[in-house]
Amino acid sequence: MSVYFGPNIRYQGGDYGNAVLTKFPIKRSKNSPLTMVGQGEQRGVIQLVLDARGTDVLFLNTHLDSRKDEAERVGSVDELARIIAAAGKMPVILCGDFNTAPKSQAHVKMKMAIDDTWELIGQGDGFSIPVGRPNKRIDYLWISKATVEPLQIKVLRSDASDHLPVFGEFRLRAAAGK
């Protein structure tokens, strides 16, 4: 497998950011900072073009701002939407901790650019934050459904984090370009 790490800030003598572990070869990679609003942690988005059995797929991974005010998340969603639009007809998969619930301003805006897999085929509530605070869904798998077919999505049980892993299985649609 290949790994790509995108550092966003220095923290306790090391780097803090996002990472992707993939079985598909990475053809191109980029880690871009997202625009900050006020003081907070620098957030970023990993952009990988993966070779999925001969088809280029844009795979994005991010972790958006966690503050109560949605201004930075909404701005980040605008930036993500521009990246997705620039991909044209290339299949797109976007995942990450969006720190926002369904029907929030950031969620509604993101759905204008890409499809929420849980809303397409998920069963139940999809809560990825199960304990210690109100149960909620803030971790997402988004797809360009014209080029990516969702086969399954589920929240797995784990004690490894305060978030539960969200698992998705997809198939590229026949019309997906090379």
Side-chain angles (χ1 to χ4, degrees):
M1 296 186 88
S2 299
V3 65
Y4 181 85
F5 175 68
N8 295 319
I9 61 173
R10 300 285 295 160
Y11 185 70
Q12 295 182 343
D15 290 322
Y16 175 84
N18 301 309
V20 173
L21 183 64
T22 176
K23 68 179 183 178
F24 297 112
I26 299 171
K27 293 177 76 173
R28 290 189 302 280
S29 60
K30 182 178 180 181
N31 184 51
S32 302
L34 295 168
T35 303
M36 293 178 63
V37 174
Q39 297 296 315
E41 291 180 6
Q42 177 63 61
R43 303 299 176 142
V45 58
I46 290 175
Q47 303 168 59
L48 302 178
V49 175
L50 304 177
D51 178 357
R53 299 183 183 102
T55 300
D56 288 353
V57 174
L58 177 60
F59 188 88
L60 307 169
N61 178 270
T62 193
H63 182 182
L64 300 185
D65 182 61
S66 62
R67 291 173 288 176
K68 190 170 187 141
D69 180 357
E70 263 202 294
E72 187 169 313
R73 281 189 300 281
V74 170
S76 294
V77 163
D78 288 339
E79 291 178 70
L80 294 169
R82 284 191 292 275
I83 293 167
I84 293 163
K89 294 183 181 187
M90 185 186 307
V92 178
I93 299 172
L94 163 63
C95 64
D97 178 348
F98 275 66
N99 275 311
T100 198
K103 300 188 182 11
S104 67
Q105 183 181 0
H107 180 261
V108 169
K109 218 170 185 194
M110 191 79 260
K111 284 177 28 173
M112 295 167 71
I114 196 164
D115 297 289
D116 179 350
T117 303
W118 195 270
E119 289 187 359
L120 295 174
I121 64 167
Q123 305 269 324
D125 54 39
F127 290 158
S128 55
I129 302 292
V131 295
R133 14 186 145 151
N135 294 339
K136 54 188 169 182
R137 180 165 79 98
I138 64 171
D139 301 288
Y140 295 87
L141 290 173
W142 304 86
I143 60 168
S144 54
K145 73 177 180 183
T147 54
V148 180
E149 177 185 0
L151 301 176
Q152 67 172 314
I153 184 168
K154 57 187 172 183
V155 177
L156 305 176
R157 297 292 158 212
S158 173
D159 294 326
S161 171
D162 61 335
H163 293 243
L164 296 176
V166 180
F167 170 85
E169 184 178 2
F170 308 99
R171 176 177 28 229
L172 297 178
R173 295 193 187 271
K178 296 254 179 197

